[in-house]
Amino acid sequence: MAALVLAGFFLGAQRARGVRGDQAGMLHSLPAYHGLYIAAAVLTVMMVIFVVGAPLASHYVVSQGLGAFDPSEVAEQLHRDAALRDIQNLIAGIYQGEPSDKLKAAAAAYSAASSLVYWGLNIFGVLAGAAVIFWGLGRITPELRARNQFERFVKYVLLASSGVAILTTIGIVLSVVFEAMHFFSKVSPIDFLFGLQWSPQTAMRADQVGSSGAFGIVPLIAGTLLITVIAMLVAGPLGLFSAIYMAEYATPRIRSVVKPILEILAGIPTVVLGFFAALTVAPLIRGWGQSFGLDVASESALAAGLVMGMMIIPFVSSLSDDVINAVPQSLRDGSYAMGATKSETIKKVVLPAALPGIVSAFMLAISRAVGETMIVVMAAGLAANLTFNPLAAVTTVTVQIKTLLVGDQEFDSAKTLSAFALGLVLFFFTLALNYIALKIVQKYREQYD
């Protein structure tokens, strides 16, 4: 495909130059556009062949391989997958044990069909691409509007890309919604949204202890909000003040050094920050609490919130710095002309003008804090305690989603399906944050020349 696309481009451009030299009439488009026109046509045809042919070829190969087995042996999907895995392992030479004659015949049929469709699909695609090149070369005339045709192709490509992004989002939402509906068919939405106890382990016996099957998310929401508030109390002031300093006070030399160092925090893996929280911050907080006679849990919301706040400082700082720098210098000059000091100008002019962007930065930081998992797992624990005590162990929605989906799970149990219900709640929570940020931006946004 790549070779024929390049060949189409160069041959089309060369043909256009020849037509322009042979005929008195000028070409409508530059030779490069004629080359792009043919290259786009070749790419389109060969991509269609690949997208349509590859799944059909794969289905044919699988059917040929499984055709050697008795239909009753591969009637169920699990048996089909196991047989197909054995066939592929035998072809790759990693099959354990002595294969049966039936398996050998299936592997031979699978290998032959695979070779057939491989060469067939490639030959058909190459012939189609070459035919498109010859067809395109014959269309190159002074009347051909190659530039318009290529720009229309680019427009359709961009439209398709936008459609894929939208469909992906819709698919993610629908997949979560459908599984959440299965969960709500087993558990009441009222109990889920307003229940005060979270214990998703369902009892398999009447006398089983510690398996209440309670799915109230209020403790998870409380833990999520508690850690998020602590994180924003750290990241909000530090990030905003650092942005003000770098935008208004720092010299270019200091800014070129301080800003990259500050943004290094954004590149530290969250698992590393989780180690820092669990091994350094949490013991330090516990030691301070004991010196004041306070009962501090070994895993506390305060430790997780402090480290998470460190992690999201660059989000607040970088975005706030950008919007503060975007405020026109004429506003500052006007304030100075009125006799205002630098701090008064920042407080009365710059920050109000940059308020929509700053609010957006804070909302993005909150969304990042709400979605964090590893730091909470390692520093705050898994206990679903309904408390607002920052010294106690709590858990969050994302941590429980991770816990519920670890290992082999049955997707027909309320315990596993509750992860999708939690994901749906988290989705609407972040959607509400984005909506609030959008409304604030629309209300306070100002246009400057």
Side-chain angles (χ1 to χ4, degrees):
M1 185 187 301
L4 286 176
V5 167
L6 291 175
F9 172 78
F10 288 112
L11 291 176
Q14 183 179 5
R15 171 66 175 168
R17 294 188 187 96
V19 171
R20 185 172 59 180
D22 295 339
Q23 300 186 21
M26 294 295 293
L27 289 173
H28 173 272
S29 306
L30 294 175
Y33 279 107
H34 290 80
L36 291 173
Y37 168 72
I38 295 181
V42 174
L43 179 64
T44 302
V45 171
M46 297 189 72
M47 281 297 298
V48 170
I49 293 174
F50 175 76
V51 171
V52 175
L56 295 177
S58 176
H59 177 75
Y60 173 76
V61 171
V62 171
S63 63
Q64 290 297 309
L66 297 179
F69 293 94
D70 189 86
S72 61
E73 297 178 347
V74 291
E76 299 182 3
Q77 184 64 37
L78 182 62
H79 296 160
R80 290 172 59 89
D81 294 340
L84 185 60
R85 184 169 57 251
D86 290 341
I87 293 174
Q88 294 171 344
N89 289 341
L90 181 58
I91 295 175
I94 58 175
Y95 182 80
Q96 301 294 329
E98 182 65 26
S100 63
D101 294 338
K102 186 178 298 185
L103 181 59
K104 292 180 180 179
Y110 184 95
S111 180
S114 178
S115 178
L116 175 65
V117 299
Y118 172 82
W119 287 106
L121 191 61
N122 276 277
I123 292 174
F124 180 66
V126 169
L127 291 178
V132 172
I133 291 178
F134 285 110
W135 169 82
L137 292 176
R139 283 180 52 86
I140 296 179
T141 61
E143 293 77 20
L144 177 64
R145 299 178 177 270
R147 183 188 64 202
N148 296 355
Q149 298 289 340
F150 178 72
E151 289 180 349
R152 187 177 295 112
F153 168 79
V154 171
K155 182 183 71 173
Y156 290 145
V157 170
L158 297 178
L159 179 61
S161 300
S162 302
V164 169
I166 295 173
L167 292 176
T168 301
T169 303
I170 294 175
I172 292 172
V173 174
L174 292 180
S175 65
V176 174
V177 169
F178 289 150
E179 298 299 332
M181 296 303 296
H182 293 164
F183 169 76
F184 288 131
S185 67
K186 300 175 181 291
V187 177
S188 171
I190 302 299
D191 296 338
F192 176 73
L193 295 174
F194 301 102
L196 302 180
Q197 182 183 1
W198 176 263
S199 180
Q201 185 64 42
T202 305
M204 302 181 64
R205 304 187 309 272
D207 59 343
Q208 190 171 356
V209 179
S211 302
S212 59
F215 294 94
I217 66 167
V218 173
L220 308 186
I221 298 297
T224 301
L225 293 178
L226 177 60
I227 294 179
T228 301
V229 168
I230 296 173
M232 290 308 300
L233 289 177
V234 174
L238 291 179
L240 182 58
F241 292 163
S242 61
I244 294 174
Y245 171 76
M246 287 188 293
E248 300 293 334
Y249 291 97
T251 63
R253 181 178 179 181
I254 295 178
R255 177 184 172 86
S256 64
V257 175
V258 174
K259 188 174 177 64
I261 293 177
L262 181 62
E263 292 181 348
I264 286 177
L265 285 174
I268 299 178
T270 55
V271 66
V272 176
L273 293 174
F275 278 123
F276 175 69
L279 301 179
T280 304
V281 178
L284 188 62
I285 294 175
R286 187 167 59 251
W288 284 352
Q290 290 175 354
S291 64
F292 289 101
L294 300 176
D295 184 15
V296 182
S298 59
E299 295 175 322
S300 63
L302 183 59
L306 290 176
V307 177
M308 192 182 299
M310 294 170 51
M311 177 191 67
I312 61 179
I313 284 176
F315 290 90
V316 180
S317 175
S318 296
L319 295 176
S320 299
D321 182 28
D322 293 337
V323 296
I324 290 174
N325 283 320
V327 175
Q329 183 63 32
S330 59
L331 295 182
R332 298 179 178 85
D333 296 338
S335 178
Y336 296 147
M338 295 294 292
T341 62
K342 191 176 188 65
S343 60
E344 290 174 339
T345 300
I346 294 172
K347 183 173 64 174
K348 298 292 186 179
V349 177
V350 176
L351 292 183
L355 180 61
I358 294 175
V359 171
S360 299
F362 273 69
M363 291 299 178
L364 178 62
I366 292 174
S367 299
R368 182 68 179 86
V370 169
E372 177 52 39
T373 303
M374 287 306 302
I375 294 177
V376 183
V377 170
M378 303 176 71
L382 302 174
N385 296 322
L386 180 54
T387 178
F388 289 98
N389 180 10
L391 303 180
V394 296
T395 190
T396 63
V397 173
T398 55
V399 170
Q400 288 302 311
I401 293 175
K402 184 275 302 180
T403 305
L404 293 169
L405 296 180
V406 168
D408 297 331
Q409 302 292 339
E410 296 181 356
F411 281 83
D412 58 352
S413 65
K415 175 184 176 182
T416 305
L417 292 174
S418 64
F420 296 93
L422 291 175
L424 187 63
V425 171
L426 195 64
F427 170 77
F428 279 106
F429 181 78
T430 53
L431 181 64
L433 287 179
N434 292 333
Y435 179 79
I436 293 172
L438 180 62
K439 288 300 180 182
I440 293 176
V441 170
Q442 291 177 348
K443 183 178 181 179
Y444 296 100
R445 180 174 55 191
E446 300 181 16
Q447 298 291 339
Y448 304 106
D449 294 333

